[in-house]
C-alpha cells in the first residue's frame, strides 16, 4: 500500500459518501444517472465476490464490503426511496453498448488459467465495465448542460480516485516491478474520460462559479 | 518473468 493508492481509495470512498449525502439532504436524485449507479453495482459485485474466498487484508475486505453495500444502497435510494425524483427521459445512454463489449473483451483478455476461469473473467469484466461506467452520467450532464455543485464534487472525487491510481502504478512498477496491464490500460482510459469534466471543474467550480457546459 | 497476478488493489 502506498500513499497514492490509499488517497485514491479514500477519494473513492468520499465520492460515495458525497453522493449519499446529496441524495438524502436534497431528498432527490436529480442530475444523477441511475444507469451509471447500476453499472457500479454490477462492477463491485462481479469484482468483489472474491471476498468470499480471498483474503488480502482487513482493509481490503472492509472496503469491498463498503463498496458493495453502499452502491446497492444508492440504487435503493434512487430506484425506490426517491423514485419520483428520477427523470428517465434524460438518462438515455444505452447500457448494452457498454456491457456487451466489456463482456466480449473480458472473454478475450483476462488472466484466466486452468485453476481459475470464471473468477478471472468476472474480474476483467468488472475492470472493463468500470472504465466506461461513468459514461451515462457524463452523457446526462452533457444533455442537461449544467450540474449542481455537490454533484460536481462527487464526480471530482470519483475522477481523482482514478487519477491517483496512475502514480500508484508507476510507484509499484518502480518499487516492486508490479505491472497489471489490464488494470493499467483500462485505468488510463477511464481517467481520460474525465478530462473534459476536470477542465470545467478547475476553471469554474473551484472559482465558485456554477458548473455549466459551453453552449 | 511472469508470475501469478496478485489482486490486492480495489
Amino acid at each position: 500500500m502506498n500513499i497514492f493508492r490509499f488517497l485514491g481509495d479514500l477519494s473513492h470512498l468520499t465520492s460515495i459518501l458525497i453522493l449519499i449525502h446529496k441524495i438524502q439532504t436534497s431528498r432527490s436524485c436529480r442530475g444523477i444517472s441511475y444507469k451509471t449507479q447500476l453499472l457500479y453495482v454490477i462492477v463491485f459485485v462481479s469484482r468483489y465476490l472474491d471476498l468470499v474466498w480471498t483474503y488480502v487484508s482487513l482493509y481490503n475486505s472492509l472496503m469491498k464490503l463498503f463498496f458493495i453495500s453502499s452502491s446497492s444502497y444508492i440504487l435503493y435510494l434512487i430506484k425506490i426511496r426517491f423514485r419520483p425524483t428520477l427523470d428517465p427521459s434524460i438518462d438515455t445512454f444505452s447500457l448494452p453498448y457498454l456491457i456487451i463489449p466489456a463482456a466480449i473483451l473480458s472473454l478475450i483478455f483476462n488472466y484466466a488459467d486452468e485453476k481459475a476461469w470464471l473468477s478471472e473473467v468476472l474480474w476483467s469484466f468488472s475492470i472493463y465495465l468500470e472504465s466506461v461506467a461513468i459514461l451515462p452520467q457524463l452523457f446526462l450532464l452533457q444533455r442537461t448542460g449544467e450540474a449542481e455543485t455537490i454533484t460536481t464534487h462527487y464526480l471530482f472525487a470519483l475522477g481523482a480516485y482514478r487519477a491517483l491510481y496512475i502514480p500508484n502504478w508507476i510507484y509499484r512498477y518502480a518499487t516492486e516491478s508490479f505491472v497489471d496491464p489490464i488494470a493499467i490500460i483500462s485505468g488510463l482510459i477511464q481517467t481520460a474520460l474525465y478530462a473534459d469534466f476536470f477542465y470545467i471543474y478547475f476553471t469554474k467550480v473551484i472559482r465558485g462559479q456554477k458548473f455549466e457546459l459551453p453552449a | 518473468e511472469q508470475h501469478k497476478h496478485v489482486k490486492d488493489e480495489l
Side-chain angles (χ1 to χ4, degrees), chain A residues 34-36 38-39 42 92-101 129 133 136:
Chain A
Y34 163 71
K35 290 183 172 178
T36 282
L38 173 66
L39 289 179
I42 298 172
T92 52
F93 201 96
S94 182
L95 289 186
Y97 286 134
L98 303 178
I99 295 175
I100 293 171
L129 192 61

PDB file of all heavy atoms in Angstrom, chain A residues 34-36 38-39 42 92-101 129 133 136:
ATOM      1  N   TYR A  34     -29.083   7.006 -12.986  1.00  0.00           N
ATOM      2  CA  TYR A  34     -29.388   5.689 -12.416  1.00  0.00           C
ATOM      3  C   TYR A  34     -28.561   4.613 -13.122  1.00  0.00           C
ATOM      4  O   TYR A  34     -28.064   3.678 -12.491  1.00  0.00           O
ATOM      5  CB  TYR A  34     -30.888   5.406 -12.569  1.00  0.00           C
ATOM      6  CG  TYR A  34     -31.252   3.951 -12.400  1.00  0.00           C
ATOM      7  CD1 TYR A  34     -31.196   3.344 -11.148  1.00  0.00           C
ATOM      8  CD2 TYR A  34     -31.637   3.174 -13.496  1.00  0.00           C
ATOM      9  CE1 TYR A  34     -31.502   2.008 -10.983  1.00  0.00           C
ATOM     10  CE2 TYR A  34     -31.943   1.831 -13.344  1.00  0.00           C
ATOM     11  CZ  TYR A  34     -31.871   1.251 -12.085  1.00  0.00           C
ATOM     12  OH  TYR A  34     -32.168  -0.075 -11.943  1.00  0.00           O
ATOM     13  N   LYS A  35     -28.390   4.779 -14.420  1.00  0.00           N
ATOM     14  CA  LYS A  35     -27.677   3.754 -15.190  1.00  0.00           C
ATOM     15  C   LYS A  35     -26.224   3.613 -14.752  1.00  0.00           C
ATOM     16  O   LYS A  35     -25.699   2.510 -14.635  1.00  0.00           O
ATOM     17  CB  LYS A  35     -27.775   4.057 -16.687  1.00  0.00           C
ATOM     18  CG  LYS A  35     -29.187   3.847 -17.204  1.00  0.00           C
ATOM     19  CD  LYS A  35     -29.313   4.063 -18.676  1.00  0.00           C
ATOM     20  CE  LYS A  35     -30.719   3.644 -19.121  1.00  0.00           C
ATOM     21  NZ  LYS A  35     -30.919   3.872 -20.558  1.00  0.00           N
ATOM     22  N   THR A  36     -25.552   4.740 -14.520  1.00  0.00           N
ATOM     23  CA  THR A  36     -24.176   4.680 -14.020  1.00  0.00           C
ATOM     24  C   THR A  36     -24.132   3.983 -12.667  1.00  0.00           C
ATOM     25  O   THR A  36     -23.272   3.132 -12.421  1.00  0.00           O
ATOM     26  CB  THR A  36     -23.575   6.101 -13.918  1.00  0.00           C
ATOM     27  OG1 THR A  36     -23.196   6.531 -15.230  1.00  0.00           O
ATOM     28  CG2 THR A  36     -22.339   6.132 -13.024  1.00  0.00           C
ATOM     29  N   LEU A  38     -26.221   1.810 -11.474  1.00  0.00           N
ATOM     30  CA  LEU A  38     -26.488   0.383 -11.684  1.00  0.00           C
ATOM     31  C   LEU A  38     -25.212  -0.328 -12.154  1.00  0.00           C
ATOM     32  O   LEU A  38     -24.879  -1.421 -11.689  1.00  0.00           O
ATOM     33  CB  LEU A  38     -27.616   0.207 -12.714  1.00  0.00           C
ATOM     34  CG  LEU A  38     -27.906  -1.225 -13.158  1.00  0.00           C
ATOM     35  CD1 LEU A  38     -28.448  -2.061 -11.999  1.00  0.00           C
ATOM     36  CD2 LEU A  38     -28.913  -1.244 -14.312  1.00  0.00           C
ATOM     37  N   LEU A  39     -24.479   0.327 -13.066  1.00  0.00           N
ATOM     38  CA  LEU A  39     -23.235  -0.267 -13.566  1.00  0.00           C
ATOM     39  C   LEU A  39     -22.227  -0.457 -12.426  1.00  0.00           C
ATOM     40  O   LEU A  39     -21.537  -1.467 -12.363  1.00  0.00           O
ATOM     41  CB  LEU A  39     -22.624   0.594 -14.677  1.00  0.00           C
ATOM     42  CG  LEU A  39     -23.368   0.588 -16.018  1.00  0.00           C
ATOM     43  CD1 LEU A  39     -22.667   1.494 -17.027  1.00  0.00           C
ATOM     44  CD2 LEU A  39     -23.479  -0.830 -16.582  1.00  0.00           C
ATOM     45  N   ILE A  42     -23.004  -3.564 -10.553  1.00  0.00           N
ATOM     46  CA  ILE A  42     -22.553  -4.735 -11.329  1.00  0.00           C
ATOM     47  C   ILE A  42     -21.027  -4.877 -11.226  1.00  0.00           C
ATOM     48  O   ILE A  42     -20.496  -5.968 -11.022  1.00  0.00           O
ATOM     49  CB  ILE A  42     -22.991  -4.608 -12.810  1.00  0.00           C
ATOM     50  CG1 ILE A  42     -24.524  -4.571 -12.907  1.00  0.00           C
ATOM     51  CG2 ILE A  42     -22.437  -5.767 -13.643  1.00  0.00           C
ATOM     52  CD1 ILE A  42     -25.057  -4.259 -14.309  1.00  0.00           C
ATOM     53  N   THR A  92     -30.454   8.455 -20.928  1.00  0.00           N
ATOM     54  CA  THR A  92     -30.829   7.625 -22.075  1.00  0.00           C
ATOM     55  C   THR A  92     -29.687   6.827 -22.688  1.00  0.00           C
ATOM     56  O   THR A  92     -29.865   6.218 -23.728  1.00  0.00           O
ATOM     57  CB  THR A  92     -31.428   8.519 -23.191  1.00  0.00           C
ATOM     58  OG1 THR A  92     -30.509   9.587 -23.437  1.00  0.00           O
ATOM     59  CG2 THR A  92     -32.764   9.082 -22.761  1.00  0.00           C
ATOM     60  N   PHE A  93     -28.533   6.849 -22.071  1.00  0.00           N
ATOM     61  CA  PHE A  93     -27.419   6.089 -22.639  1.00  0.00           C
ATOM     62  C   PHE A  93     -27.783   4.600 -22.645  1.00  0.00           C
ATOM     63  O   PHE A  93     -28.331   4.076 -21.686  1.00  0.00           O
ATOM     64  CB  PHE A  93     -26.158   6.303 -21.800  1.00  0.00           C
ATOM     65  CG  PHE A  93     -24.895   5.997 -22.532  1.00  0.00           C
ATOM     66  CD1 PHE A  93     -24.174   7.005 -23.140  1.00  0.00           C
ATOM     67  CD2 PHE A  93     -24.429   4.702 -22.625  1.00  0.00           C
ATOM     68  CE1 PHE A  93     -22.993   6.732 -23.824  1.00  0.00           C
ATOM     69  CE2 PHE A  93     -23.258   4.415 -23.308  1.00  0.00           C
ATOM     70  CZ  PHE A  93     -22.547   5.439 -23.909  1.00  0.00           C
ATOM     71  N   SER A  94     -27.476   3.922 -23.735  1.00  0.00           N
ATOM     72  CA  SER A  94     -27.875   2.523 -23.857  1.00  0.00           C
ATOM     73  C   SER A  94     -26.858   1.586 -23.196  1.00  0.00           C
ATOM     74  O   SER A  94     -25.710   1.495 -23.619  1.00  0.00           O
ATOM     75  CB  SER A  94     -28.041   2.172 -25.332  1.00  0.00           C
ATOM     76  OG  SER A  94     -28.475   0.854 -25.452  1.00  0.00           O
ATOM     77  N   LEU A  95     -27.293   0.890 -22.149  1.00  0.00           N
ATOM     78  CA  LEU A  95     -26.371   0.043 -21.377  1.00  0.00           C
ATOM     79  C   LEU A  95     -25.752  -1.120 -22.155  1.00  0.00           C
ATOM     80  O   LEU A  95     -24.580  -1.442 -21.939  1.00  0.00           O
ATOM     81  CB  LEU A  95     -27.055  -0.478 -20.104  1.00  0.00           C
ATOM     82  CG  LEU A  95     -27.308   0.579 -19.029  1.00  0.00           C
ATOM     83  CD1 LEU A  95     -27.842  -0.075 -17.760  1.00  0.00           C
ATOM     84  CD2 LEU A  95     -26.042   1.363 -18.721  1.00  0.00           C
ATOM     85  N   PRO A  96     -26.502  -1.783 -23.062  1.00  0.00           N
ATOM     86  CA  PRO A  96     -25.872  -2.875 -23.814  1.00  0.00           C
ATOM     87  C   PRO A  96     -24.612  -2.447 -24.570  1.00  0.00           C
ATOM     88  O   PRO A  96     -23.681  -3.245 -24.723  1.00  0.00           O
ATOM     89  CB  PRO A  96     -26.975  -3.303 -24.789  1.00  0.00           C
ATOM     90  CG  PRO A  96     -28.236  -2.961 -24.078  1.00  0.00           C
ATOM     91  CD  PRO A  96     -27.947  -1.693 -23.320  1.00  0.00           C
ATOM     92  N   TYR A  97     -24.544  -1.185 -24.996  1.00  0.00           N
ATOM     93  CA  TYR A  97     -23.349  -0.686 -25.698  1.00  0.00           C
ATOM     94  C   TYR A  97     -22.115  -0.743 -24.814  1.00  0.00           C
ATOM     95  O   TYR A  97     -20.977  -0.749 -25.296  1.00  0.00           O
ATOM     96  CB  TYR A  97     -23.552   0.754 -26.169  1.00  0.00           C
ATOM     97  CG  TYR A  97     -24.470   0.875 -27.365  1.00  0.00           C
ATOM     98  CD1 TYR A  97     -25.477   1.826 -27.388  1.00  0.00           C
ATOM     99  CD2 TYR A  97     -24.303   0.044 -28.470  1.00  0.00           C
ATOM    100  CE1 TYR A  97     -26.325   1.943 -28.485  1.00  0.00           C
ATOM    101  CE2 TYR A  97     -25.137   0.151 -29.564  1.00  0.00           C
ATOM    102  CZ  TYR A  97     -26.151   1.099 -29.575  1.00  0.00           C
ATOM    103  OH  TYR A  97     -26.971   1.199 -30.648  1.00  0.00           O
ATOM    104  N   LEU A  98     -22.311  -0.727 -23.496  1.00  0.00           N
ATOM    105  CA  LEU A  98     -21.180  -0.782 -22.573  1.00  0.00           C
ATOM    106  C   LEU A  98     -20.971  -2.206 -22.060  1.00  0.00           C
ATOM    107  O   LEU A  98     -19.833  -2.687 -21.973  1.00  0.00           O
ATOM    108  CB  LEU A  98     -21.409   0.172 -21.393  1.00  0.00           C
ATOM    109  CG  LEU A  98     -21.643   1.637 -21.767  1.00  0.00           C
ATOM    110  CD1 LEU A  98     -21.897   2.459 -20.515  1.00  0.00           C
ATOM    111  CD2 LEU A  98     -20.449   2.190 -22.527  1.00  0.00           C
ATOM    112  N   ILE A  99     -22.069  -2.872 -21.713  1.00  0.00           N
ATOM    113  CA  ILE A  99     -21.960  -4.192 -21.075  1.00  0.00           C
ATOM    114  C   ILE A  99     -21.473  -5.262 -22.059  1.00  0.00           C
ATOM    115  O   ILE A  99     -20.586  -6.062 -21.727  1.00  0.00           O
ATOM    116  CB  ILE A  99     -23.313  -4.598 -20.445  1.00  0.00           C
ATOM    117  CG1 ILE A  99     -23.660  -3.634 -19.300  1.00  0.00           C
ATOM    118  CG2 ILE A  99     -23.266  -6.032 -19.926  1.00  0.00           C
ATOM    119  CD1 ILE A  99     -25.015  -3.864 -18.676  1.00  0.00           C
ATOM    120  N   ILE A 100     -22.010  -5.257 -23.271  1.00  0.00           N
ATOM    121  CA  ILE A 100     -21.642  -6.308 -24.236  1.00  0.00           C
ATOM    122  C   ILE A 100     -20.159  -6.237 -24.635  1.00  0.00           C
ATOM    123  O   ILE A 100     -19.448  -7.239 -24.549  1.00  0.00           O
ATOM    124  CB  ILE A 100     -22.593  -6.308 -25.449  1.00  0.00           C
ATOM    125  CG1 ILE A 100     -23.996  -6.745 -24.975  1.00  0.00           C
ATOM    126  CG2 ILE A 100     -22.101  -7.253 -26.554  1.00  0.00           C
ATOM    127  CD1 ILE A 100     -25.104  -6.590 -26.000  1.00  0.00           C
ATOM    128  N   PRO A 101     -19.643  -5.066 -25.036  1.00  0.00           N
ATOM    129  CA  PRO A 101     -18.204  -5.009 -25.350  1.00  0.00           C
ATOM    130  C   PRO A 101     -17.325  -5.388 -24.155  1.00  0.00           C
ATOM    131  O   PRO A 101     -16.302  -6.075 -24.320  1.00  0.00           O
ATOM    132  CB  PRO A 101     -17.971  -3.554 -25.754  1.00  0.00           C
ATOM    133  CG  PRO A 101     -19.299  -3.064 -26.185  1.00  0.00           C
ATOM    134  CD  PRO A 101     -20.307  -3.788 -25.339  1.00  0.00           C
ATOM    135  N   LEU A 129     -15.770  -2.823 -17.480  1.00  0.00           N
ATOM    136  CA  LEU A 129     -17.042  -2.121 -17.292  1.00  0.00           C
ATOM    137  C   LEU A 129     -16.850  -0.863 -16.454  1.00  0.00           C
ATOM    138  O   LEU A 129     -17.434   0.180 -16.738  1.00  0.00           O
ATOM    139  CB  LEU A 129     -18.070  -3.066 -16.645  1.00  0.00           C
ATOM    140  CG  LEU A 129     -19.517  -2.557 -16.659  1.00  0.00           C
ATOM    141  CD1 LEU A 129     -19.998  -2.356 -18.099  1.00  0.00           C
ATOM    142  CD2 LEU A 129     -20.449  -3.520 -15.928  1.00  0.00           C
ATOM    143  N   ALA A 133     -18.169   2.987 -16.992  1.00  0.00           N
ATOM    144  CA  ALA A 133     -19.422   3.101 -16.230  1.00  0.00           C
ATOM    145  C   ALA A 133     -19.867   4.545 -16.012  1.00  0.00           C
ATOM    146  O   ALA A 133     -21.052   4.810 -15.811  1.00  0.00           O
ATOM    147  CB  ALA A 133     -19.274   2.389 -14.882  1.00  0.00           C
ATOM    148  N   PRO A 136     -22.782   7.061 -18.888  1.00  0.00           N
ATOM    149  CA  PRO A 136     -24.175   7.530 -18.800  1.00  0.00           C
ATOM    150  C   PRO A 136     -24.301   8.808 -17.964  1.00  0.00           C
ATOM    151  O   PRO A 136     -25.075   9.706 -18.304  1.00  0.00           O
ATOM    152  CB  PRO A 136     -24.908   6.356 -18.143  1.00  0.00           C
ATOM    153  CG  PRO A 136     -24.107   5.163 -18.501  1.00  0.00           C
ATOM    154  CD  PRO A 136     -22.677   5.640 -18.500  1.00  0.00           C
TER     155      PRO A 136
END
